[in-house]
């Protein structure tokens, strides 16, 4: 039998017209996903993309896979039901900061704590786009929007810290326009067995343009971000002249070179530590004091829920035999009327 | 039934020592005590033993929402009513013939229901000053003459139980916890029941603590022997086995029957069952029971909330499983947006709503039928789905299968309405043969040739169930309006009109395959008593009583509430008047009036308790007199 030719990015493009605003960061993320999926060797019909509501949640329509555009905030719950019953499928959840962290916050944290084998991509643009520009749970304090004309008063969520707090086994951050980095992070998420949580900084050029410019502008790229690479020290800066060092139980930025610290003083990144403590420190590293960490903060494998569910069913069948409906209906105390 | 079968005192005027055995056709017993007194257990044991003796029976458990309300108080009273009979009965009885009251609070809350001349067994040890105050009694009812007119049997239940267990290494607290079995033993003696079934149950239940098994068995026997030796009762009674249709029977409550119906539907369809649920009274026991059926391939998922529970079931249905969620009224409200997603995506989904008293948190442990309009209309937009109702505890089995059948054949969400009374009430169930159950096999779409996710079956208008993993059928669904046939997102005005009509027509066509309705009694006439859901027993009982009194009255009960059966309108037209008892303020009546312009008279009861036959009978009589 001839093997089918390998799939390409084109094979994952549906015939639907894409309706995001021109210049929206969502395009780049779609492209990244359509780049990674063909590499996985999984047939298209085995891939399901499930979303909630919001700009990002339109993504399933543009994928030539199975797709489910569900309701606001509930995609992780829909995906959980699907993955528990169909562990053979590769299930991706597409969500945004409003969808995942406001209305769907409960489902997000529970999917992560259960370690269901689904990949959750959170497009964080720090704004409500589809409803025309209200502040979101990741908008910075004081943000002026349609619903906060005098500035927002409530403190934002830190998505990575939230995911780690929920016990997520895979936690990463990347940026829409860093295509290479994005693809690499998605690759690692795809390879993860349990729940994978990826926060993607996404520019909404209509309602919150340049939300991440502080780090994506050319001059700042290396100054404002630190790339987490497994086995490598955490060094950053245009001149690679700064590092992150552990000082007691805190992180600190150190100058490298003469008079300063050396590379050997810097934290060497290991995402596979079973303790989430260092990942937590990195998740809390926020500008302006720290460069924004990009890459995989945590990646540890524990048995995904769907596997445990199947094993429990198999054990029950081993022990009690495959259930007989006849026997079940006749169980308990019975009597005969003749 | 009414006067002819209430307990007469055949021993009156005879020598007490003879203690003749009087045959009774029908008797209602109520066990009432504090929540901690084990009344539900006691009642269940009496019920199970009576089932094995071959009686027909019907039960009405009634317990507080609090797990342990303060001991001895009025809100803490828990009761269990069981009616046993030697013929086919339909209700747990209007008023008890026998009341067992374990404390003053139980007496106070239940004595009003006891028949005049009824038997009252009362634990006198609990009638302390303190307990009388807790029960808000100013005088001791055992002494003030207020119980005249009942046949009162004061028994020192607590003391007698302690004495019976004196030689066991137990503290008095543990001894006291056996007094319900002493009372049960007395009732077993009075109604000539064997002890062995309860003894076997106790030995199994307390296998790990043999001393407790021994203590309870001892108390049971002591209660029995106490009656035998002291002759406290003038007589004992016999209720012969009922003449039921031949077959194998078991006693079953509604939630168990519903669970078995779901498993049966899973097996008969060949689809694995996924139950997404969140704990809520009175539905939780379905989740408990289904969680035990893993070896039937059942996956249960206790979700983080009601919404996740239904969404997970929808996800499972998308993947090709039989997706089910179970809940009660407040949970149904939370699920409504997700149910609408299933309406729009046209996926099969079964939503079991075990109704309780509302609104809001309402009366969690009490029964009501007030979610009908919520089930029919409680969602945004034009949102047709199928609604079916279970009519008796054992009928929950058939109703669950019917709900699954409709969901699977028509690609539509189905709300199955049960209620607290059915959930906890029990009755004998003639176990069906597996091969007599409907064949629910379904075919998932597999042919990419000409496939479109919303290309409908010309007969049912159901769309294909195309599940992930099928090559060539990749497609996207969602909550946005679909273009006819292709399923692509569409905001086209004409398309929206067409899709709204198609979804409605798809649900309406379910009625085309329903069997004709069966009117009990004359096909037309002066009065039809119409019902749906758990009022079946009380309506049937009342109509039978009315006929015994020479009244001409017919009866019709609905399983399908949406779509309504095609022949319903014509049947309603054959009667001068239609009486519709509902445990709400007239919800189905509102629908029928709107649809058929028919003058339906509502008999409403919203007290957290089912109708009695007497209440419906009185209305029938007054309507026919008028
Ligand atoms: S509103 Fe913002 S997030 Fe939404 S599509 Fe337009 S640019 Fe993208």
């Amino acid at each position: 039998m001839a093997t089918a030719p390998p799939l390409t990015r084109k094979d994952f493009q549906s015939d639907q017209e894409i309706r995001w605003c021109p210049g929206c960061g969502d395009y780049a993320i779609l492209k990244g996903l359509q780049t990674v999926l063909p590499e996985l060797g999984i047939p298209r019909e085995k891939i399901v993309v499930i979303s909630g509501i919001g700009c990002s949640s339109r993504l399933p329509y543009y994928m030539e896979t199975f797709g489910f555009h569900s309701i606001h905030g509930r995609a992780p719950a829909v995906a959980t039901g699907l993955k528990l019953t169909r562990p053979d499928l590769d299930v991706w959840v597409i969500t945004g900061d409003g969808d995942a962290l406001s209305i769907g916050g409960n489902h997000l944290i529970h999917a992560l704590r259960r370690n269901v084998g689904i990949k959750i991509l959170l497009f964080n643009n720090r704004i409500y786009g589809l409803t025309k520009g209200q502040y979101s749970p990741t908008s910075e304090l004081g943000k002026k929007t349609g619903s906060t004309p005098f500035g927002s008063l409530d403190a934002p969520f830190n998505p990575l810290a939230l995911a780690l707090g929920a016990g997520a086994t895979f936690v990463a951050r990347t940026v829409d326009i860093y295509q290479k980095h994005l693809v690499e992070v998605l690759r690692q998420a795809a390879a993860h067995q349990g729940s994978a949580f990826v926060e993607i900084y996404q520019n909404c050029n209509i309602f919150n343009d340049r939300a991440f410019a502080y780090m994506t502008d050319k001059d700042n790229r290396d100054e404002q971000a630190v790339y987490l690479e497994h086995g490598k020290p955490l060094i950053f800066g245009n001149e690679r002249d700064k590092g992150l060092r552990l000082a007691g139980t805190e992180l600190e930025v150190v100058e490298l070179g003469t008079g300063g610290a050396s590379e050997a003083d810097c934290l060497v990144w290991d995402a596979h530590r079973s303790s989430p403590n260092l990942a937590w420190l990195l998740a809390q590293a926020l500008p302006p004091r720290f460069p924004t960490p990009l890459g995989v903060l945590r990646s540890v494998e524990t048995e995904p829920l769907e596997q445990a569910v199947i094993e429990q069913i198999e054990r029950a069948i081993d022990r009690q035999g495959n259930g007989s409906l006849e026997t079940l209906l006749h169980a308990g105390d019975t009597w005969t009327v003749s | 039934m009414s006067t002819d079968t209430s307990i007469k005192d055949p021993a009156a005027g005879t020598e007490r020592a003879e203690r003749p055995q009087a045959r009774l056709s029908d008797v209602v017993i109520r066990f009432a005590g504090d929540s901690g007194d084990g009344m539900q257990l006691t009642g269940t044991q009496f019920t199970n033993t009576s089932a094995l003796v071959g009686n027909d029976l019907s039960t009405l458990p009634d317990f507080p929402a609090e797990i342990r309300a303060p001991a001895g108080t009025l809100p803490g009273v828990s009761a269990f009513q069981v009616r046993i009979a030697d013929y086919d009965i339909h209700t747990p009885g209007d008023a008890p013939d026998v009341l067992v009251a374990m404390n003053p609070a139980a007496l106070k809350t239940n004595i009003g229901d006891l028949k005049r001349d009824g038997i009252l067994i009362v634990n006198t040890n609990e009638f302390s000053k303190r307990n009388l105050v807790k029960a808000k009694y100013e005088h001791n009812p055992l002494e003030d003459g207020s119980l005249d007119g009942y046949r009162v049997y004061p028994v020192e239940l607590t003391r007698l139980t302690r004495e019976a267990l004196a030689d066991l290494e137990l503290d008095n607290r543990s001894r006291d916890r056996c007094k319900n079995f002493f009372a049960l033993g007395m009732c077993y003696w009075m109604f000539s029941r064997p002890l062995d079934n309860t003894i076997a149950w106790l030995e199994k239940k307390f296998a790990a603590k043999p001393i407790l098994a021994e203590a309870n068995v001892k108390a049971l026997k002591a209660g029995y022997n106490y009656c035998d030796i002291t002759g406290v009762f003038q007589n004992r009674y016999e209720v012969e086995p009922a003449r039921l249709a031949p077959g194998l029977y078991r006693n079953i409550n509604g939630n168990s029957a519903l669970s078995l119906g779901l498993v049966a539907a899973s097996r008969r369809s060949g689809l694995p069952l996924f139950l997404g649920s969140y704990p809520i009274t009175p539905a939780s026991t379905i989740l408990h029971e289904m969680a035990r059926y893993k070896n039937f391939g059942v996956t249960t998922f206790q979700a983080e909330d009601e919404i996740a529970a239904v969404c997970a079931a929808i996800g499972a249905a998308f993947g090709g499983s039989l997706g089910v969620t179970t809940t009660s009224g407040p949970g149904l409200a939370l699920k409504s947006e997700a149910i609408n997603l299933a309406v729009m995506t046209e996926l099969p989904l079964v939503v079991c709503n075990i109704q309780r008293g509302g609104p809001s948190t309402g009366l969690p442990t009490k029964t009501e039928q007030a979610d009908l309009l919520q089930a029919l209309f409680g969602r945004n937009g034009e949102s047709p789905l199928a609604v079916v109702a279970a009519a008796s505890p054992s009928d929950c089995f058939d109703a669950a299968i019917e709900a699954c059948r409709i969901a699977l054949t028509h690609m539509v969400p189905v709300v199955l309405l049960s209620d607290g009374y059915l959930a906890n009430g029990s009755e004998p169930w003639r176990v069906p043969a597996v091969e007599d159950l409907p064949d629910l096999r379904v075919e998932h779409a597999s042919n990419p040739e000409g496939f479109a996710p919303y290309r409908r079956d010309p007969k049912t208008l159901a769309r294909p169930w195309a599940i992930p993993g099928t090559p060539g059928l990749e497609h996207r669904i969602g909550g946005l309006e679909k273009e006819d046939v292709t399923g692509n997102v569409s905001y086209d005005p004409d398309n929206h009109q067409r899709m709204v009509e198609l979804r409605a027509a798809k649900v309406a066509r379910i009625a085309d395959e329903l069997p004709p309705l069966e009117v009990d009694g004359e096909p037309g006439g002066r009065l039809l008593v119409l019902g749906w859901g758990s009022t079946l027993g009380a309506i049937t009982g009342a109509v039978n009583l009315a006929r015994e009194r020479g009244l001409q009255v017919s009866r019709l009960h609905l399983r399908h509430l949406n779509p309504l059966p095609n022949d319903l309108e014509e049947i309603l037209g054959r009667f001068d008047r239609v009486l519709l008892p509902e445990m709400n303020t007239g919800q189905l009546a509102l629908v029928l009036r709107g649809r058929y312009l028919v003058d339906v008279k509502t008999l409403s009861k919203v007290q957290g308790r089912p109708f009695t036959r007497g209440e419906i009978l009185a209305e029938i009589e007054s309507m026919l007199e008028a």
Side-chain angles (χ1 to χ4, degrees):
Chain A
M1 210 174 94
T3 47
L7 297 170
T8 64
R9 214 182 105 200
K10 245 184 120 44
D11 293 315
F12 284 88
Q13 295 168 345
S14 78
D15 59 358
Q16 299 297 298
E17 183 194 338
I18 302 183
R19 302 195 194 183
W20 288 313
C21 308
C24 174
D26 290 351
Y27 286 93
I29 306 173
L30 174 66
K31 184 175 163 205
L33 189 60
Q34 287 170 335
T35 304
V36 172
L37 291 183
E39 295 175 0
L40 303 179
I42 300 171
R44 280 186 310 196
E45 70 270 12
K46 291 264 190 184
I47 297 173
V48 185
V49 186
I50 302 180
S51 63
I53 295 293
C55 290
S56 57
S57 287
R58 296 298 177 93
L59 186 138
Y61 291 120
Y62 313 136
M63 300 287 299
E64 190 53 31
T65 61
F66 279 89
F68 201 154
H69 179 209
S70 77
I71 46 177
H72 206 7
R74 321 301 175 198
V78 175
T80 296
L82 181 63
K83 186 69 183 178
L84 291 186
T85 49
R86 293 292 306 276
D88 59 311
L89 301 174
D90 198 42
V91 181
W92 295 74
V93 168
I94 307 296
T95 183
D97 39 319
D99 194 56
L101 300 173
S102 267
I103 194 165
N106 201 26
H107 310 307
L108 177 73
I109 57 176
H110 286 276
L112 293 176
R113 81 163 163 94
R114 293 189 182 111
N115 199 34
V116 195
I118 57 180
K119 335 285 177 216
I120 302 173
L121 310 186
L122 189 157
F123 297 17
N124 184 5
N125 56 16
R126 295 189 172 155
I127 198 80
Y128 281 84
L130 198 60
T131 50
K132 302 201 159 85
Q134 299 81 13
Y135 81 122
S136 91
T138 53
S139 295
E140 59 280 12
L141 259 179
K143 185 158 193 84
K144 289 193 174 145
T145 71
S147 58
T148 51
F150 305 108
S152 71
L153 300 173
D154 41 349
F157 256 136
N158 176 332
L160 298 185
L162 186 75
L164 287 167
T169 53
F170 183 97
V171 177
R173 181 193 281 139
T174 184
V175 184
D176 52 4
I177 54 170
Y178 295 179
Q179 192 66 199
K180 238 181 96 192
H181 190 263
L182 174 84
V183 164
E184 180 49 34
V185 166
L186 294 186
R187 223 174 253 146
Q188 292 188 43
H192 187 70
Q193 296 290 307
S195 296
F197 177 80
V198 182
E199 179 190 24
I200 305 172
Y201 281 170
Q202 175 244 323
N203 192 44
C204 168
N205 53 309
I206 303 295
F207 294 110
N208 199 18
D209 197 19
R210 298 181 52 75
F212 306 103
Y214 76 88
M215 62 173 257
T216 54
D217 277 353
K218 250 205 168 66
D219 294 346
N220 296 340
R221 284 199 174 185
D222 293 319
E223 207 58 36
Q224 290 294 339
V226 58
Y227 294 86
L228 312 181
E229 289 174 83
H230 187 67
K232 302 225 173 113
L234 299 182
I235 295 175
F236 67 103
N238 288 337
E239 311 294 331
R240 293 190 61 75
D241 54 352
K242 300 187 191 71
L244 289 178
R245 181 169 75 178
L246 206 54
T249 58
E250 299 289 338
L251 274 184
E252 64 177 5
V253 174
V254 290
E255 304 278 339
L256 301 182
T258 30
S262 76
E263 246 189 64
D265 294 326
C266 297
L267 194 56
V268 175
W269 194 240
D270 176 4
H272 306 313
R273 284 187 189 92
S274 60
S275 160
N277 291 355
L278 288 180
W280 173 261
L281 286 186
L282 260 290
Q284 298 290 349
L286 299 169
R289 268 184 65 207
F290 289 97
T292 300
L294 297 177
V296 180
L297 277 79
R298 182 163 206 240
S299 172
V300 293
E301 289 291 4
T302 61
E303 185 182 50
L305 179 65
E306 63 275 14
Q307 217 160 294
V309 165
I310 289 169
E311 281 165 16
Q312 203 172 49
I313 288 177
E314 281 170 354
R315 272 200 305 277
I317 292 173
D318 275 354
R319 219 175 36 239
Q320 300 160 269
N322 190 358
S324 144
L325 185 56
E326 184 85 19
T327 314
L328 179 68
L329 299 185
H330 287 75
D333 292 334
T334 58
W335 70 97
T336 305
V337 175
S338 45
Chain B
M1 311 236 312
S2 59
T3 49
D4 53 316
T5 51
S6 68
I7 296 183
K8 288 280 180 301
D9 192 347
T14 65
E15 283 296 320
R16 199 182 67 179
E18 286 175 22
R19 282 186 263 141
Q21 284 210 350
R23 268 188 61 179
L24 285 175
S25 179
D26 177 349
V27 63
V28 179
I29 301 157
R30 186 185 293 176
F31 300 91
D34 194 64
S35 308
D37 284 342
M39 290 297 98
Q40 302 303 319
L41 259 180
T42 311
T44 304
Q45 281 305 306
F46 191 90
T47 303
N48 290 347
T49 291
S50 298
L52 290 177
V53 167
N55 298 135
D56 195 11
L57 56 87
S58 176
T59 71
L60 175 62
D62 183 16
F63 41 85
E66 292 73 22
I67 300 302
R68 284 274 189 281
T73 60
L74 296 171
V77 174
S78 170
F80 188 103
Q81 180 165 314
V82 51
R83 177 175 176 214
I84 55 174
D86 66 2
Y87 65 102
D88 186 11
I89 56 167
H90 310 283
T91 74
D94 290 4
D97 300 293
V98 179
L99 173 64
V100 179
M102 301 295 282
N103 68 6
L107 180 67
K108 177 124 186 199
T109 45
N110 289 280
I111 189 69
D113 293 337
L114 184 63
K115 277 186 187 156
R116 279 282 122 186
D117 203 34
I119 291 175
L120 171 67
I121 300 170
V122 60
N123 178 12
T124 54
N125 292 129
E126 293 294 318
F127 281 66
S128 63
K129 255 220 167 72
R130 233 182 105 219
N131 283 350
L132 288 168
V133 169
K134 277 195 215 167
K136 306 206 169 10
Y137 269 122
E138 283 175 21
H139 309 283
N140 187 342
L142 303 179
E143 293 159 2
D144 67 2
S146 62
L147 299 178
D148 293 353
Y150 302 107
R151 278 177 280 158
V152 184
Y153 295 97
V155 182
E156 291 187 89
L157 267 169
T158 311
R159 184 182 67 80
L160 289 167
T161 307
R162 281 189 190 180
E163 278 176 10
L165 307 183
D167 58 341
L168 290 182
E169 292 263 333
L170 281 175
D171 54 21
N172 271 342
R173 222 179 110 84
S174 306
R175 288 193 184 109
D176 289 353
R177 295 183 68 158
C178 299
K179 63 180 184 291
N180 57 328
F181 279 89
F182 191 98
L184 181 63
M186 292 180 69
C187 293
Y188 276 175
W189 184 89
M190 190 191 294
F191 293 99
S192 322
R193 320 263 100 176
L195 306 185
D196 47 347
N197 182 54
T198 294
I199 292 174
W201 179 84
L202 281 167
E203 282 167 354
K204 199 169 155 206
K205 176 171 167 79
F206 293 115
K209 288 181 186 159
I211 181 134
L212 293 184
E214 192 186 347
N216 281 296
V217 171
K218 258 194 153 158
L220 180 76
K221 288 182 174 168
Y224 190 93
N225 293 335
Y226 172 74
C227 298
D228 217 24
I229 294 161
T230 62
V232 51
F233 301 125
Q234 285 89 343
N235 39 37
R236 56 193 307 201
Y237 304 97
E238 188 80 60
V239 180
E240 299 263 290
R243 291 170 294 276
L244 301 174
L248 184 85
Y249 283 80
R250 63 187 279 195
N251 185 41
I252 199 157
N253 68 41
N255 276 359
S256 272
L258 196 152
S259 305
L260 294 183
L262 292 175
V263 176
S266 162
R267 278 288 144 115
R268 297 296 286 173
S269 64
L271 300 175
L273 188 143
F274 177 91
L275 172 64
S277 190
Y278 185 77
I280 186 169
T281 303
S284 305
T285 49
I286 302 172
L287 173 60
H288 299 178
E289 179 150 352
M290 295 299 285
R292 299 205 312 259
Y293 298 144
K294 296 226 167 357
N295 65 323
F296 286 83
V298 170
T299 303
T300 52
F301 173 62
Q302 183 177 317
E304 57 272 23
D305 59 28
E306 294 279 0
I307 299 171
V310 62
C311 284
I314 291 171
F318 180 56
S321 290
L322 175 54
V324 181
T325 186
T326 49
T327 189
S328 187
L332 186 66
L334 284 164
K335 291 180 199 294
S336 51
E337 189 195 12
I339 294 172
N340 240 351
L341 179 66
V343 168
M344 192 59 135
T345 55
E346 305 194 31
L347 285 168
L349 173 73
V350 176
V351 180
C352 307
N353 177 16
I354 318 303
Q355 301 165 95
R356 63 194 222 184
S360 189
T361 313
L363 308 170
T365 60
K366 310 292 178 196
T367 197
E368 207 161 275
Q369 294 182 301
D371 295 347
L372 174 62
L373 293 180
Q374 183 184 203
L376 288 170
F377 306 119
R379 294 167 300 284
N380 66 301
E382 295 290 345
S383 170
L385 47 63
V387 180
V388 298
S392 78
S394 67
D395 183 57
C396 288
F397 178 81
D398 296 316
I401 293 178
E402 175 65 354
C404 296
R405 184 194 69 79
I406 293 174
L408 296 173
T409 12
H410 296 267
M411 293 291 284
V412 70
V414 181
V415 176
L416 165 58
L417 294 174
S418 173
D419 61 34
Y421 165 51
L422 298 182
N424 296 312
S426 66
E427 66 180 0
W429 174 46
R430 188 151 66 108
V431 181
V434 169
E435 59 271 18
D436 293 343
L437 300 175
D439 181 352
L440 303 181
R441 269 173 299 179
V442 290
E443 259 181 60
H444 296 306
S446 59
N447 186 4
E449 201 71 45
F451 168 78
Y454 280 73
R455 197 186 294 287
R456 295 171 189 280
D457 179 294
K459 183 163 161 265
T460 60
L461 297 181
R463 75 175 191 91
W465 196 0
I467 64 173
T470 322
L473 300 193
E474 294 84 357
H475 67 280
R476 278 66 54 192
I477 58 172
L480 287 170
E481 181 59 289
K482 302 279 160 287
E483 185 180 69
D484 191 13
V485 184
T486 67
N488 291 334
V489 174
S490 167
Y491 305 128
D492 179 77
D494 293 335
N495 178 76
H496 180 51
Q497 177 97 36
R498 187 160 61 247
M499 290 302 277
V500 166
E501 286 165 5
L502 274 171
R503 284 186 288 265
K506 181 182 76 166
V507 171
R509 284 197 189 184
I510 296 168
D512 294 345
E513 67 200 21
L514 300 180
L517 288 170
E518 283 176 35
V519 176
D520 170 35
E522 296 298 319
R526 284 185 65 200
L527 180 63
L528 175 75
V529 185
L530 181 68
W532 67 276
S534 73
T535 51
L536 174 70
I539 292 177
T540 308
V543 165
N544 290 347
L545 287 175
R547 287 183 188 150
E548 280 172 25
R549 295 180 187 188
L551 299 173
Q552 203 226 74
V553 46
S554 300
R555 188 183 65 75
L556 176 63
H557 214 74
L558 298 178
R559 150 90 75 227
H560 300 92
L561 299 164
N562 202 47
L564 288 164
N566 290 334
D567 46 352
L568 178 61
E569 181 173 16
E570 190 264 322
I571 291 173
L572 296 179
R574 290 192 226 137
F575 289 88
D576 296 345
R577 304 198 64 187
V578 177
L579 171 64
L580 178 46
E582 291 186 83
M583 292 189 289
N584 57 49
T585 55
Q587 299 195 1
L588 182 61
L590 181 75
V591 173
L592 297 180
R593 282 165 169 266
R595 261 191 85 132
Y596 303 133
L597 276 175
V598 55
D599 183 19
V600 173
K601 175 153 181 13
T602 294
L603 174 62
S604 164
K605 182 175 184 182
V606 276
Q607 299 172 3
R609 291 176 140 204
F611 279 104
T612 64
R613 289 170 300 170
E615 289 161 345
I616 297 173
L617 177 64
E619 192 63 29
I620 291 173
E621 286 178 327
S622 93
M623 281 180 80
L624 286 176
E625 271 160 27

